[in-house]
Amino acid sequence: MDRAQKEKVVEELGQIFESSGVVVVAHYAGITVAQMQDLRAQMREVGGSVRVAKNRLAKIALAGKPSEKMGDLLTGMTVMAYSEDPVAAAKVADAYAKKNDKFVILGGAMGDTILDPAGVKTVAAMPSREELIAQIVSCIGAPASNIAGAIGAPASNIAGILSTLEEREAA
């Protein structure tokens, strides 16, 4: 790579570190191309991405960022999984590490908080943004459906009583 390409990579990595809700760093030595493509596809499904970059360039991109201390994790063959959703990349990376023992999570960063492997597992156990929204909507919707049921029930009871009375009169 020439200097211009390196500067472009550093700029891209800097944007990743600033805009991502979570960045997970892992070793990937021994993973096949097909396995890496599978990881990338899983990450894409949840709105995340996977990036392999030279550690030296990633450390340069981390300089001055809130997650600068994450640079200590960048040794050896590392891959970065990231997403805007603070939970999505951690969930996919954790699930993938359980299936593939060659994918070893080293840690990561969530804003200015540096995560160790246990921290990544904890983040992965949290509900995602979509799950939280669904839970909130169901909490809000439950009382409304109860009220609608309570209001609708007497009307259906009245209708049932009226039809019974009409049947008695007809008989």
Side-chain angles (χ1 to χ4, degrees):
M1 268 198 280
D2 66 354
R3 184 174 178 84
Q5 290 173 325
K6 288 179 182 178
E7 288 175 358
K8 183 178 177 188
V9 168
V10 168
E11 183 180 327
E12 289 173 1
L13 290 171
Q15 289 175 354
I16 289 169
F17 295 135
E18 285 180 359
S19 66
S20 297
V22 68
V23 178
V24 178
V25 179
H27 277 159
Y28 69 100
I31 290 182
T32 65
V33 172
Q35 291 170 330
M36 185 60 84
Q37 288 175 338
D38 181 42
L39 174 62
R40 289 179 194 274
Q42 290 177 26
M43 213 44 95
R44 251 183 266 119
E45 287 177 12
V46 297
S49 296
V50 175
R51 178 74 188 251
V52 177
K54 290 185 181 244
N55 292 335
R56 198 167 59 89
L57 296 178
K59 287 178 183 179
I60 292 169
L62 277 169
K65 305 286 188 292
S67 57
E68 185 173 3
K69 293 178 184 173
M70 188 179 73
D72 298 339
L73 302 172
L74 299 171
T75 58
M77 293 179 61
T78 56
V79 62
M80 291 174 279
Y82 58 93
S83 65
E84 285 185 32
D85 183 345
V87 178
K91 276 186 183 289
V92 172
D94 185 52
Y96 194 79
K98 288 177 183 174
K99 292 188 298 184
N100 191 332
D101 60 343
K102 294 178 183 174
F103 186 80
V104 180
I105 295 175
L106 301 174
M110 190 174 197
D112 59 350
T113 304
I114 305 304
L115 305 170
D116 60 354
V120 173
K121 285 186 184 288
T122 303
V123 170
M126 295 169 55
S128 69
R129 183 182 297 158
E130 288 77 23
E131 292 169 343
L132 285 173
I133 290 171
Q135 289 174 359
I136 291 170
V137 167
S138 68
C139 288
I140 292 171
S145 65
N146 291 343
I147 291 170
I151 291 172
S156 64
N157 289 342
I158 292 171
I161 292 170
L162 290 176
S163 65
T164 305
L165 290 175
E166 287 176 8
E167 290 173 5
R168 283 187 190 169
E169 288 179 19

